[in-house]
Amino acid sequence: MAERINSTTDDEEQRKLKSWLPFRCPHYTQFRDDYRDREHIVPESFTWQTCIDIDDPELVEKANEMSERLDIEAGGQWQGLMLHKDYSIRRKLHIDIRLPIGMTVPEAQREYCKALGVKCDTSCFTPERFIYISPADFEIYRADGWYQQLSEDEVAARRKAYTDRGLSIDGRTEDGSYYDPGDDGDSPSPAPVAPAFAPDAPAEKAETKFPQEFKGVPYTSIICEYWRRTGGEPSEGERNKRLHQLAANLRAICDNSEEWLLEVMPRFGLSVQEMHSIIHSACKEPTKGSRLIDQIVNALEMGISSDEIEDAEAVQAETGVKVNVRTLPIGLKESLTGVPVSMHMPVLCGVLPIAAAYADQVQVEYCDGNLQHLGLMSIIRGEQASNKSVVKNAIDIWKHQLEEEDALARKREEEWKERKKGRKANEKAPEDPHVLIRMVPVTVSCSTLLKRFKNAQGHTIYSFGEELDTLRKTNGAGSWSSKYDIYRLSFDKGEWGQDYNSDAAESGVVKVAYNWTMLGTNGAMRKCFKSDNIENGLSSRILVAEMPDSSFQKMPKFGKRSAEDEARIQQAVTRLRSISGLVDVPRLRKVIEAWVEEKRVEAAKDIDHVKDTYRKRAAVIGFRCGVIFHLYCLMEQIKTFGEALQSQYVDAREECQRYGANHSVFDQLAPSFTMDDLRALKRGYCGESALRNIITRWKRDGWIEKTDSKHWHKTPQCHNATLPH
């Protein structure tokens, strides 16, 4: 149909053909009596999203590129809010976005188009609007959860944000249109509905002279959470006092501006004059910050409770990562339900290998152009009694589908073994059923593991081990025996096999697809990764996460996952299993490629061989896990394995020792320097060939130029030898 539409130049014929296309409604999922118009809308089916339409052909690619930037802009208003993007039948552009809390459809459309740098199309505001569906290969991007119903809590918060503004639960005014303040001379918007609790209050147009968000969090959400934490909304007899307290808490994040506070605060039926008086009184004193509001903002930014703010800040300070629970995809979000924030990263790193094992029919193109499968191995390390079981509890839910299928396969295999054992001497042995068993214990023998690989039918095998030390003792000290090679090869689906001249042992060569998660103490980690084997490559292929230090800490409080949470994890598993083929992730590639180059520059300037070694596979692991993990992975690998690996480089005199000061070795060199200057800085820890290689790399990258036979000088380019943030 798309081809037919694009092959004709007759406008009437095009309209006729388009009318036969299927369509979707971006704003509502239900209309009464199967009749799509404003009067038949079901307000409760509001989707909390809208679709931006770019009709100007010259602006399509500009908007396409800009939407990518907005979606990944750290701390930006639109970060993580893009839900879907595709070309229309005539190669125009549709961008679906999640509405920021408290914003109506017209407000979001106007603000987003302004950020895109395109003119806003007011015809896109109508509640009953529909979009013609284009072919699958016209799709550019689809987020998890597109068109998915939001949680009851989030829907309640969003509805409240509207009703606090005197609007309906879906952001509309009395005439059924969405509230729209207008923009730059546009026609005036309808007045908002007066609040239900004050039917005689005059309807007034809400102006938006000031930002409606603080640090990306809508004031409506901040206020909603403030009421929740301070005993609920005020009753009629206490509204003046409580509104005064609210204004006193909010004034610091509203620049102590009375006009700003008047705009963002709810009125609860009070007149403008009464609100002016309350706000003026609250702003008399010098501006002070509010710890409560700071906690609320941080919690809303990260999707956690205020009780965990300090833990979250400590985790962020140590790892450089802030886990935004609200933006996590289905399955991962529910994995963190009831988990203390300090344990979020270990739980996520623990479940990622099994999540990747379920998506074993997927291939992705990496930054270098090569195709990869989602091979992941993670070790969650922590001292005894550090609550590593919280990771096991999450993985136990993720394992359900594999366990159920494996149980049937193991039953068939046991029946075959019994028939084989009970057959008569002259009776032919029953045929091996070649069953698919995907979950194996970490202590599985190499022979049995080879058999599982041979019967895997292209699927990834998965193991979960509660004690890393048990694995080490089972497989032999130090090198983990043959298992070490299997694990290392599984990262890139390499070949492994064994050949025995005996029917009792399994023989063959297979492609190794094997993901696993292991829990272990720091002592077990040191025993497994000794200085004589750490350089063999496995350490750089492992996603490492550390449980928080629980020394002298109070007992952590764990919540429970609901049946709905567990069902959503199973829904995520089913979705991962259904995806196959090449999955293109251009935005993720772009971010990871930039990060790898940034770390290369850091390593080159600091002559840090450890960082240079780990950055490459850390990026691959980060690419496979998602953008949120790329920095954490490198830091944890260096922290866990760097010292042992570094001692080898120093002993071998082939490269340079790590330099841990705030400034790199390169930065410490004078604008003009000699080889002797570099030798002095490295204090004899580099061989001559290594130093020459370093100079060659710096020259190749354009950081230095040769002045004469002994001197080098830094180029202007060296001051920009980092990537933009």
Side-chain angles (χ1 to χ4, degrees), residues 300-451:
L300 290 174
E301 274 191 295
M302 302 170 66
I304 61 176
S305 69
S306 59
D307 297 336
E308 296 185 301
I309 286 295
E310 289 185 6
D311 283 342
E313 290 173 347
V315 171
Q316 185 179 359
E318 182 172 349
T319 67
V321 171
K322 179 168 70 173
V323 178
N324 190 335
V325 179
R326 292 187 304 166
T327 61
L328 286 177
I330 179 176
L332 293 183
K333 182 186 295 184
E334 291 72 24
S335 298
L336 300 185
T337 301
V339 176
V341 68
S342 60
M343 302 177 191
H344 280 180
M345 281 305 301
V347 171
L348 287 174
C349 294
V351 301
L352 278 165
I354 190 169
Y358 278 121
D360 58 3
Q361 300 305 297
V362 166
Q363 280 190 315
V364 286
E365 182 183 332
Y366 188 54
C367 311
D368 59 7
N370 289 320
L371 298 183
Q372 296 185 356
H373 80 302
L374 300 182
L376 285 175
M377 300 167 282
S378 70
I379 295 179
I380 314 303
R381 67 186 183 105
E383 298 302 339
Q384 295 183 12
S386 59
N387 294 294
K388 292 189 290 294
S389 60
V390 71
V391 180
K392 178 184 181 299
N393 295 338
I395 291 174
D396 283 345
I397 302 171
W398 280 82
K399 292 193 304 185
H400 282 173
Q401 292 191 30
L402 284 182
E403 285 178 328
E404 289 176 0
E405 293 165 8
D406 282 3
L408 296 174
R410 288 185 183 279
K411 183 179 179 182
R412 284 184 58 202
E413 191 173 59
E414 288 300 319
E415 291 171 350
W416 167 73
K417 288 179 181 178
E418 289 298 320
R419 290 198 307 272
K420 185 177 179 182
K421 186 170 63 175
R423 79 186 192 280
K424 296 177 182 178
N426 60 349
E427 189 177 353
K428 184 180 179 182
E431 186 177 347
D432 188 335
H434 298 290
V435 294
L436 169 62
I437 293 176
R438 296 185 58 189
M439 281 198 62
V440 299
V442 293
T443 54
V444 63
S445 69
C446 289
S447 185
T448 302
L449 187 55
L450 179 56
K451 180 179 180 180

Side-chain angles (χ1 to χ4, degrees), residues 1-3 5-6 18 21 24 51-57 60-61 84-96 129-140:
M1 184 63 72
E3 290 174 358
I5 291 171
N6 284 299
K18 283 180 69 174
L21 287 167
R24 61 183 175 91
C51 183
I52 284 82
D53 205 356
I54 310 296
D55 271 338
D56 187 340
V60 166
E61 289 312 314
H84 183 259
K85 190 163 57 172
D86 65 4
Y87 294 113
S88 69
I89 296 295
R90 298 302 309 275
R91 285 287 172 174
K92 308 299 175 58
L93 187 64
H94 292 145
I95 308 172
D96 290 86
R129 182 185 177 215
F130 71 93
I131 307 289
Y132 285 119
I133 295 175
S134 53
D137 58 358
F138 283 39
E139 188 176 61
I140 304 168

Side-chain angles (χ1 to χ4, degrees), residues 81-82 128 226 330 388 428 431 446 477 604 709 712 723:
L81 294 186
M82 187 161 66
E128 68 275 25
Y226 174 86
I330 179 176
K388 292 189 290 294
K428 184 180 179 182
E431 186 177 347
C446 289
S709 60
W712 301 84
L723 294 172

Side-chain angles (χ1 to χ4, degrees), residues 9 49 81 148 221 229 268 290 293 603 616 633 678:
T9 56
Q49 57 183 276
L81 294 186
Q148 184 173 299
S221 301
R229 299 185 188 191
F268 293 103
S290 167
I293 294 297
K616 302 165 189 174
C633 179
L678 183 57

Side-chain angles (χ1 to χ4, degrees), residues 176-188:
S177 61
Y178 294 121
Y179 173 66
D180 178 13
D183 182 48
D184 297 331
D186 282 352
S187 57

Side-chain angles (χ1 to χ4, degrees), residues 655-699:
E655 272 293 357
C656 303
Q657 124 183 50
R658 291 180 62 198
Y659 186 78
N662 291 329
H663 299 287
S664 70
V665 172
F666 181 84
D667 290 336
Q668 286 200 98
L669 289 168
S672 178
F673 64 93
T674 67
M675 188 71 85
D676 287 337
D677 296 328
L678 183 57
R679 287 191 192 100
L681 277 176
K682 295 316 297 174
R683 298 179 180 87
Y685 282 109
C686 275
E688 286 300 307
S689 62
L691 287 173
R692 283 195 296 272
N693 286 336
I694 290 162
I695 289 291
T696 300
R697 292 189 199 113
W698 287 350
K699 184 176 183 297

